Amino acid sequence: MRLKAENLSVRRGDDLLFSNISFELARGEALIVTGRNGSGKSTLLRTVAGLIHPEGGRAYLLSDGRESEAKVPEASHYLGHRNAMKVELTVRENLDFWKTWLGDFEGGKGLGIEDAADAVGLSGITHLPFGYLSAGQQRRFAMARLLVSHRPIWLLDEPTAALDASADQLFSGFVEAHLKSGGMVIAATHQPLGLAETRELRMKGFDYLAGEHAA
Amino acid sequence: MMALFLRDLKLSVRAGGGALIGVLFFTTVVAVIPFGVGPDLNLLSRIGPAIVWIGALLASLLGLDRLFQAEREDGSLDILLMQETPLVLTVLVKCLAHWTATGLPLVLASPMLGLFMNMNEVAIGAVMLTLLVGSPAITFIGAAGAAVAVTLPRGGLLVSILILPLTVPVLIFGVSAAYAAVEDPAPFFPPFAILCAITLFFAVIGPAAAAIALKNSSE
């Protein structure tokens, strides 16, 4: 399976925020989107996630050379600035809901709740309401959502904000493992995720509108 | 689907969920009417069904604006929008959970408030039945309003004003069916059947409209 984006353009008000961004990702590949604030990194991710209608172009999945039935949003996890967890519910209830609601995309299986909590290094506090946790712990459990249900594509928007160094490393580990198992990652970030082989898409904002690839 | 229903139900019962706020507001509105109108028991029992219905209508408008806004604020809405589950179905389930948590308590509280208004058993039963059938329509209409105003930070009153005109038919037929049960020549069934029809109609239109509004909300 491959993820292909063709000539994506997004309009914000009267101006095109970016235009004609094309890229293609195969299994096991990661794309890091960089650029200054306001250059459209988040918008690009939200467009791929299907949350913003592009002005032109589209993103789709290819399987065996043909366009796949499955849509990109269904095959993707989106980890945005907000954690998508309810502060009133316990961590377990939150993760349990997402696990049941999201299900697994074909070709993989999500971890159990306790296993996922263990993986983010916070086992034993899943009975606490999500609102009781610190910002860093909340972010870690937001990552656990990526683990409890299987999606081949991860769309990560500033995934390591509010995380300490050890959690940074932990997260790089998840991304690496996800790539090894044949997943794809598109991440918008300022900090290096510590990944070995990635491609970079540098957003330049309004002036220069083409994305460029670097090795 | 069941998971979403249970989660929303839990959320509304937990701290700050507001399931009881509606009932408290309902009680407050109806309880002050006799003090304002005076101790004329005949007058009270005559206006009783209308007052209980108006109270229930206003109370069910209360928490509606949070229906999608809370989801949007913590980012859950994005994830819900991305799934292959038809959005209409998601909205419908959220509406049903919202009604179970806020509308059903109003229906259950209405007999007690009927006593405040000196209504007889038949009238109380009729009001309860019409509320049971009619109040889901208010939630379905409200879902569309809530979805339109989802990006507005203080959209509460706006949602109420947006949907109030659409809820007027529900009020008219609900109250007229309730009156028909106690006043002899008027038939009960026709307005009651229209009330049922309104609820079924909005059960289809409301979630569909809300889904369209939500799809375009993240622009």
Side-chain angles (χ1 to χ4, degrees), chain A residues 51 53 82 84 86 93 151, chain B residues 14 73-74 83 218-219:
Chain A
L51 295 167
H53 300 294
R82 289 166 295 188
K86 295 286 175 198
E93 285 168 330
R151 292 282 189 279
Chain B
R14 293 278 163 88
E73 274 165 14
D74 64 18
Q83 303 318 308
S218 56
E219 292 288 297

Side-chain angles (χ1 to χ4, degrees), chain B residues 184-212:
Chain B
D184 226 359
F188 171 75
F189 192 69
F192 184 72
I194 293 179
L195 186 65
C196 295
I198 290 175
T199 298
L200 292 175
F201 179 73
F202 280 116
V204 177
I205 301 289
I212 294 171

Side-chain angles (χ1 to χ4, degrees), chain B residues 113-129:
Chain B
L113 298 173
L115 287 179
F116 285 12
M117 299 303 294
N118 190 35
M119 285 152 63
N120 62 24
E121 310 81 47
V122 182
I124 288 176
V127 166
M128 204 176 166
L129 184 64

Side-chain angles (χ1 to χ4, degrees), chain A residues 10 20 46 53 63 75 116 125 144 149 161 171-172 188 195 211:
Chain A
V10 168
N20 296 329
R46 292 180 68 81
H53 300 294
S63 55
I125 57 168
S149 101
F171 191 62
S172 302
L195 300 172

Side-chain angles (χ1 to χ4, degrees), chain A residues 46 49 51-53 73-74 76 78 82-86 88-89 93 97-98 100-102 145 151, chain B residues 1 3-4 7 10-11 14-15 70-76 78-80 82-84 90 218-219:
Chain A
R46 292 180 68 81
L51 295 167
I52 292 177
H53 300 294
E74 297 160 17
S76 307
Y78 173 70
R82 289 166 295 188
N83 292 325
M85 295 281 189
K86 295 286 175 198
E88 298 93 339
L89 298 181
E93 285 168 330
F97 166 70
W98 284 124
T100 324
W101 175 262
L102 294 171
R145 174 168 59 85
R151 292 282 189 279
Chain B
M1 280 300 143
L4 182 64
R7 162 187 178 259
K10 257 187 225 159
L11 279 173
R14 293 278 163 88
E71 301 281 354
R72 184 171 185 277
E73 274 165 14
D74 64 18
S76 303
D78 291 337
I79 319 288
L80 293 178
M82 283 168 66
Q83 303 318 308
E84 57 187 316
T90 310
S218 56
E219 292 288 297

